[in-house]
Amino acid sequence: MIKQDYLFTSESVSEGHPDKVCDRISDAILDAFLTESPTSRVAVETMCTTNFIALAGEVRGPETMTHERFKDIARHAVREIGYEQDGFHWKHAEIISNIHAQSADIAVGVDAAGNKDEGAGDQGIMFGYACRETPVLMPAPIYYAHAILRSLADARHSGSEPGLGPDAKSQVTLRYVGGKPVASTAVVVSTQHAERLSVEEVREIVRPHVVNVLPAGWMCDEEHFYVNPTGRFVIGGPDGDAGLTGRKIIVDTYGGAAPHGGGAFSGKDPTKVDRSAAYAARYLAKNAVAAGLADRCTIQLSYAIGVSRPLSVYVDTHGTGQVDEERLSMALQELVDLSPRGIRTHLQLNRPIYARTAAYGHFGREPEPDGAFSWERTDLVDELKNAFGA
């Protein structure tokens, strides 16, 4: 029996969180490669701590992409986030780069040659999910956790809240009744701030960004509205805690409301199915729900390195499906070629669209004119409805 009445919590972290700083740098380097050559191969990792950034990974692309360029890209990314603090400053941080050429063994397995199609860049399992809890068909707790931090970041960047720092976290607990979210029971926001601000001042700065994001009447009671529970958050970002690419995979996806295959996204070009197949799985699940074929849908894809076709395509509609799950799986595979090349072509992923995905979630975003968030389109709805006579 599906549980109907419960509490569920998801968290988000801001673009200035140390791990997200690293995600942003890695994806900015990826975008630079794809701008120069859409067929570049990139797997770049970033680590950061007090006034120090380390870049590592494997790439294949134009010779114009040098270590000095990588360092410039990293500085620009940190500057855009807004770090000009003594312990972490875009201009003064030491940056080292050990990015090097991609392994020839990997290239042999992945590249197309002769009658062999392009293979997956690695083995693994990827999940996509969609549900009817929000207009963008995302789980409500992660949707609102992201929205709170995005609202605070917009205020910081606009200058309307100069006392806020780049580093922040949010956590939203919602009550579900009959399987649907009805109210928040607790909200936690921790945000870096100027030393001149008191705990109460920070609380009142944060309050409208929570109240305005949550649906009317959903705000938790005062006792369970936690803002900077430790009382002070002046030292933050990489100066307060080291960061690493790929450590916020649940924040990046569904906030724990759906399975995760384990692979991170940022810094990886779309031949890496960790990224592209997770986008494809979300795209298929979202279209199935948008077409009215289910209220909830989880899709799992699995791949083997060097093999072009998925090993399995699993569909679970959690008892909410209006059609047979096996038939839905087959229909989705007929509509979209789920080989790495097919996914990249269908969603047009070989474009410099990734730096903007590095914070506030890879899913539940609006498709953009240049092709960013193409996996959020619902352009399969009519075909799915026709396939099932809906």
Side-chain angles (χ1 to χ4, degrees):
M1 181 179 293
I2 299 173
K3 195 170 185 178
Q4 295 292 306
D5 301 336
Y6 54 92
L7 302 181
F8 193 84
T9 304
S10 294
E11 72 157 345
S12 180
V13 298
S14 74
E15 66 205 72
H17 184 281
D19 295 332
K20 283 289 149 199
V21 172
C22 294
D23 286 345
R24 174 72 166 271
I25 292 170
S26 293
D27 274 335
I29 291 172
L30 169 61
D31 280 352
F33 267 98
L34 294 177
T35 298
E36 294 280 334
S37 172
T39 59
S40 295
R41 299 288 169 81
V42 180
V44 170
E45 312 291 343
T46 304
M47 188 278 285
C48 64
T49 186
T50 303
N51 271 330
F52 179 81
I53 299 169
L55 310 173
E58 302 79 41
V59 298
R60 189 174 75 196
E63 293 181 359
T64 52
M65 300 302 296
T66 62
H67 291 295
E68 286 308 308
R69 188 157 178 202
F70 301 149
K71 294 176 184 179
D72 288 343
I73 291 167
R75 291 194 193 281
H76 182 73
V78 173
R79 185 179 187 181
E80 283 194 325
I81 291 168
Y83 274 111
E84 295 186 342
Q85 301 170 2
D86 289 343
F88 196 69
H89 197 297
W90 65 270
K91 186 182 292 185
H92 306 308
E94 177 188 359
I95 304 177
I96 62 171
S97 173
N98 194 27
I99 296 171
H100 57 83
Q102 183 189 56
S103 161
D105 291 348
I106 292 177
V108 166
V110 174
D111 290 349
N115 293 325
K116 174 184 171 297
D117 193 10
E118 184 179 289
D122 202 350
Q123 71 176 48
I125 57 174
M126 299 84 207
F127 288 91
Y129 181 73
C131 63
R132 294 196 177 279
E133 294 178 16
T134 59
V136 294
L137 305 184
M138 284 288 287
I142 189 68
Y143 175 80
Y144 294 118
H146 285 324
I148 289 167
L149 292 187
R150 184 182 283 277
S151 180
L152 287 168
D154 288 345
R156 177 174 62 86
H157 284 297
S158 72
S160 64
E161 294 294 353
L164 296 178
D167 193 0
K169 302 177 78 171
S170 66
Q171 188 168 282
V172 175
T173 301
L174 297 185
R175 172 181 288 114
Y176 283 72
V177 176
K180 296 180 180 180
V182 298
S184 70
T185 61
V187 175
V188 184
V189 178
S190 297
T191 180
Q192 190 181 17
H193 59 88
E195 190 157 12
R196 59 180 171 78
L197 293 176
S198 69
V199 174
E200 279 306 313
E201 286 174 319
V202 175
R203 184 183 185 87
E204 294 313 308
I205 288 171
V206 168
R207 185 186 301 277
H209 296 278
V210 177
V211 172
N212 294 338
V213 159
L214 293 175
W218 278 36
M219 183 62 178
C220 63
D221 61 42
E222 197 68 12
E223 181 183 358
H224 296 97
F225 177 42
Y226 304 95
V227 176
N228 286 8
T230 62
R232 174 183 166 91
F233 191 0
V234 174
I235 298 172
D239 188 28
D241 191 10
L244 190 66
T245 299
R247 280 204 298 207
K248 289 293 178 284
I249 58 177
I250 301 303
V251 171
D252 285 343
T253 53
Y254 307 102
H260 194 294
F265 300 158
S266 289
K268 297 177 181 177
D269 75 77
T271 66
K272 279 71 172 177
V273 284
D274 277 346
R275 183 169 217 158
S276 56
Y279 290 173
R282 162 65 178 172
Y283 175 63
L284 297 179
K286 184 176 184 181
N287 275 270
V289 172
L293 304 182
D295 290 336
R296 293 173 60 203
C297 184
T298 298
I299 292 179
Q300 184 206 59
L301 306 177
S302 68
Y303 292 85
I305 189 169
V307 178
S308 63
R309 306 300 303 181
L311 306 183
S312 62
V313 180
Y314 166 80
V315 176
D316 182 0
T317 55
H318 306 278
T320 70
Q322 303 300 310
V323 299
D324 178 76
E325 291 169 344
E326 187 60 32
R327 282 188 62 206
L328 178 55
S329 173
M330 296 305 298
L332 292 170
Q333 292 177 71
E334 289 173 4
L335 290 176
V336 180
D337 176 358
L338 293 174
S339 68
R341 185 202 300 270
I343 292 170
R344 288 204 325 280
T345 300
H346 190 96
L347 296 178
Q348 297 179 287
L349 297 179
N350 282 97
R351 294 188 278 190
I353 56 174
Y354 296 104
R356 71 196 83 170
T357 71
Y360 314 115
H362 291 246
F363 307 127
R365 310 282 288 272
E366 290 295 323
E368 297 184 3
D370 67 349
F373 304 104
S374 59
W375 49 93
E376 292 295 313
R377 300 188 316 238
T378 52
D379 51 359
L380 300 180
V381 165
D382 289 342
E383 291 174 280
L384 282 170
K385 287 182 175 180
N386 290 336
F388 290 96

